[in-house]
Amino acid sequence: MTLENSEAVSQLLNVDPSREVGEENEWEEVVISDAHVLVKESPGNRGTAVTKMPVVKSVVQPEVSLRTTENDSPGLDIPPPAKGTSTTSLLPAPKKPTGIDLLNPGPRVPELKGRARGKPSLLAAARPMRAILPAPANVGRGSSVGLPRTRQAFSLSDKAPSVRTCGLKPSTLKQLGQPIQQPSNTGEVKLPNGSANRTSQLKVVEVKPDMFPPYKYSCTVTLEASSPLPEVLSATEPLSTAQREIQRQSTLQLLRKVLQIPENESELAEVFALIHELNSSRLILSNVSEETVTIEQTSWSNYYESPSTQCLLCSSPLFKGGQNSLAGPQECWLLTASRLQVVTAQVKMCLNPHCLALHSFMDIYTGLFNVGNKLLVSLDLLFAIRNQIKLGEDPRVSISSVLKSVQEQTEKTLTSEELSQVQELLCNGYWAFECLTVRDYNDMICGICGVAPKVEMAQRSEENVLALKSVEFTWPEFLGSSEVNVEDFWATMETEVIEQVAFPASIPITKFDASVIAPFFPPLMRGAVVVNTEKDKNLDVQPVPGNGSALVRLLQEGTCKLEEVGSYSEEELQHLLGQCGIPFGAEDSKDQLCFSLLALYESVQNGARVRQPPPHLTGGKIYKVCPHQVVCGSKYLVRGESARDHVDLLASSRHWPPIYVVDMATPVALCADLCYPELTNQMWGRNQGCFSSPTEPPVSVSCPELLDQHYTVDMMETEHSVQHPVTKTAARRIVHSGTQPSPADPSAGHHSLTLCPELAPYATILASIRDSKPNCVRQRPIAFDNATHYYLYNRLMDFLTSREIVNRQIHDIVQSCQPGEVVIRDTLYRLGVAQIKTETEEEGEEEEVATAAE
């Protein structure tokens, strides 16, 4: 059993000491009144119980910073073996960072982190064509399905959004205001109703690292719990189609539970040392018949199999067969930096007919990652591929470079067929390796802005696309709800690549329902409901003459009611068209006048398009970043970008930013007015996202709430419906950085960033983004052929580039810490510095928290 190890910030500090930012001390994270705390542990007091009282004070002030760092960070929280499971270790367990559970000091069963683990409902089982189909309306949708559209994407109630908690770790649940109860033996975390018990006085207890169990073969799920002695399958008869499907699902579940890979290289230092040792031990000289003969001998084994004799899911016996049996030996490539040879990989199969899981060699602590018993690749090569991708290199180029280097080192040349086979295995294996890596995507949240940036800036990547030669996108015949199931979509993407590793012969997904594609947000920055209205885009709608701003104003005033437009007289219609600047002729019929008015409405609601992508490519990606260039949310386009896409991103966010900077400010604001009229009425009334009324000349408007300032955080504060948690107002604006008004857009001048003096520093930031390192990496042109790899790549890049910036923020704060000070994240996930004083020094002193980061 382990204690809770809340790693959301501390894992970022356990970096490789050989990197730019060295860390000589261990860091632990604790929770003090829902603030994540990094406690610096001195070597001298390790293992000694120390009781301290937290007193948190502000010592630094937020400021805009664009500095980044190269450091990686660990992310690891592996469950222990459940009762009845097999634990096998060929190497000593790697050291784990010390964990502290302030609320439940007793033993507990930890949970899986970072992503939902349930069976995805989006993945169709049909073969040979694989398709993603819409999920049932009642799957994982919560209670918000029946809400009207104006309430679906942005909660207007006084209660905090019901953020989905599936797969989130306890520290994240605390951030969401969810209490944590002692989990049951099945590893499930129960979330009772009601608020969590909060206390202002908590004890910090240091725990010895050796209390943590080894990582390997940790399984908390038991199948056939009601049948301890299941019937045993005959190992001589072939499996039926239904049995093969059972085997597929069980094998994927087994891989999910057993293969949990540490994210940071420093967590695998002993493994890398072993890999280096085995790669280096290669030549032995011996004398034979008075001649010196060189015999090549490697310490890598020529035979690999799972040491388990019982199923790690259901504890049933495993069957180990010979050639051409249900579970026999297979020829397999062994690929390391200095090895490229054929070895044997033995498969074992569970004999429980309700499980049938395939057990392959899966021990990553021997330094190898198994790709379908076709390829055993050393972990250092997979990390090398990630490091190249992090610099913006095309994953296929990185994989080719690794294979080229291995062939040069081993002086072995593969045939074109062999090279193609190994390259495909390595590519699929790499993405499965990433999906089996334990990480918390909340680690990428900016330490200065937290989950609620005051300013967010839109970016687009038109050349980061998916080629449509091997995938077909379909659209629903009937336009239903625009809500998408985020957990299901990303679990489906992960399951797809893991299945390609478990069953290399499995046919990849070739058909997508484009309406289920979900955006990516760090979990704590995602709204209660996430939408994708791309299916509602009408590609036939062309820009039409007229003033959309005037039309929206008439609709807001009630002067024009679309549902009654058919009852208007020709004179009334002509008057409305005149007010909207829509040209018409005296001979135009009433139907023509109605059509002209409705055409302008549809054009505004559809959103102005940048341009339609070529027919063989998708529309790229749009994303929004905070001023520190940390990604706050991304949306992947199939059709061409429009203002509607930006409204989707904003409406799907946990907090709509007070200032959203986008080069199509007017279309975005007007589209939001038509799609979410109740919400925008609370945020900007009839100003259409402008600083002042677009019917009056533009004027400078001061927004003092946008200034950086010291402020005390109320740790008990609950989220309001529209009020922003930082600015404490409901005011929102959609702005652009340009200064010249567009003749085609009379209200464009009212959206200019220059109208607000408090936004002046952001003009410099916007200008600097183009040549910044994160932007250059994110803007690398890459065209993917595999849809699953495309979405996983973009999620990974958002995380890696953002966390690199967060690492630098944490490093800078750590450098400023004085003895007795700790780094925290507050309820909004912002970094700050706090001071911890002992009970004897500050008996009874109240705890106060102030955010800070620089």
Side-chain angles (χ1 to χ4, degrees), residues 222-233 310 314-317 350-355:
T222 303
L223 300 179
E224 299 302 310
S226 61
S227 178
L229 296 174
E231 55 181 314
V232 177
L233 180 80
Q310 290 183 312
C314 67
S315 300
S316 299
C350 175
L351 292 179
N352 178 354
H354 303 289
C355 178

Side-chain angles (χ1 to χ4, degrees), residues 139 305 360 497 635 680 813:
V139 176
E305 71 170 47
S360 303
V497 294
K635 183 180 180 182
T680 57
I813 294 180

Side-chain angles (χ1 to χ4, degrees), residues 124-176:
R127 301 293 192 275
M129 172 175 283
R130 300 281 302 287
I132 291 185
L133 304 176
N138 61 347
V139 176
R141 302 297 176 110
S143 59
S144 58
V145 177
L147 296 177
R149 188 176 183 190
T150 55
R151 295 174 62 89
Q152 277 189 330
F154 198 87
S155 173
L156 299 181
S157 68
D158 291 333
K159 297 181 179 180
S162 57
V163 179
R164 299 183 182 93
T165 58
C166 180
L168 299 183
K169 63 183 182 181
S171 59
T172 299
L173 295 174
K174 290 187 180 71
Q175 288 291 318
L176 301 175

Side-chain angles (χ1 to χ4, degrees), residues 606-621:
N606 201 51
R609 295 200 312 272
V610 175
R611 62 173 172 266
Q612 191 64 20
H616 64 286
L617 298 174
T618 60
K621 164 187 175 181

Side-chain angles (χ1 to χ4, degrees), residues 175-418:
Q175 288 291 318
L176 301 175
Q178 296 283 358
I180 305 301
Q181 195 178 68
Q182 190 77 11
S184 64
N185 291 335
T186 58
E188 296 178 357
V189 179
K190 296 182 179 179
L191 302 175
N193 294 328
S195 302
N197 294 326
R198 300 174 186 241
T199 174
S200 60
Q201 294 186 344
L202 299 172
K203 295 184 178 180
V204 180
V205 181
E206 296 181 1
V207 182
K208 295 182 179 181
D210 58 12
M211 293 181 65
F212 293 93
Y215 301 135
K216 290 187 280 186
Y217 300 126
S218 301
C219 175
T220 59
V221 174
T222 303
L223 300 179
E224 299 302 310
S226 61
S227 178
L229 296 174
E231 55 181 314
V232 177
L233 180 80
S234 171
T236 59
E237 300 177 4
L239 299 181
S240 65
T241 302
Q243 287 175 324
R244 284 197 297 269
E245 180 60 24
I246 292 174
Q247 182 178 75
R248 186 180 72 88
Q249 295 289 351
S250 297
T251 303
L252 294 179
Q253 185 184 21
L254 175 67
L255 289 174
R256 285 282 203 184
K257 300 302 180 184
V258 174
L259 275 181
Q260 298 186 18
I261 304 169
E263 185 185 9
N264 188 256
E265 297 175 52
S266 63
E267 294 288 332
L268 295 167
E270 294 180 9
V271 177
F272 287 155
L274 175 64
I275 293 173
H276 177 73
E277 179 182 349
L278 296 179
N279 282 339
S280 301
S281 177
R282 57 183 305 176
L283 295 179
I284 297 178
L285 298 179
S286 62
N287 293 327
V288 179
S289 302
E290 300 181 355
E291 295 181 1
T292 300
V293 178
T294 300
I295 301 176
E296 184 171 355
Q297 182 177 359
T298 175
S299 296
W300 290 103
S301 173
N302 291 320
Y303 181 86
Y304 295 89
E305 71 170 47
S306 169
S308 301
T309 57
Q310 290 183 312
C311 178
L312 298 178
L313 285 179
C314 67
S315 300
S316 299
L318 296 180
F319 166 70
K320 172 183 173 182
Q323 292 287 350
N324 301 320
S325 67
L326 291 178
Q330 299 181 19
E331 285 194 343
C332 179
W333 288 103
L334 174 67
L335 178 68
T336 76
S338 62
R339 284 291 179 274
L340 181 53
Q341 64 191 65
V342 176
V343 297
T344 299
Q346 174 72 45
V347 181
K348 298 180 181 179
M349 188 181 78
C350 175
L351 292 179
N352 178 354
H354 303 289
C355 178
L356 303 175
L358 292 176
H359 289 60
S360 303
F361 177 78
M362 296 179 287
D363 191 353
I364 63 170
Y365 292 94
T366 60
L368 297 175
F369 183 75
N370 190 342
V371 184
N373 298 301
K374 299 290 185 182
L375 174 69
L376 289 170
V377 55
S378 61
L379 289 178
D380 58 331
L381 298 184
L382 297 174
F383 277 94
I385 294 172
R386 177 194 291 171
N387 291 333
Q388 289 301 308
I389 291 176
K390 187 166 63 173
L391 298 177
E393 191 169 273
D394 187 328
R396 292 163 299 188
V397 175
S398 302
I399 290 168
S400 296
S401 299
V402 166
L403 288 178
K404 181 180 179 181
S405 173
V406 170
Q407 291 182 84
E408 291 174 350
Q409 290 290 326
T410 59
E411 299 181 355
K412 181 178 179 63
T413 302
L414 297 174
T415 66
S416 59
E417 182 179 350
E418 289 174 334

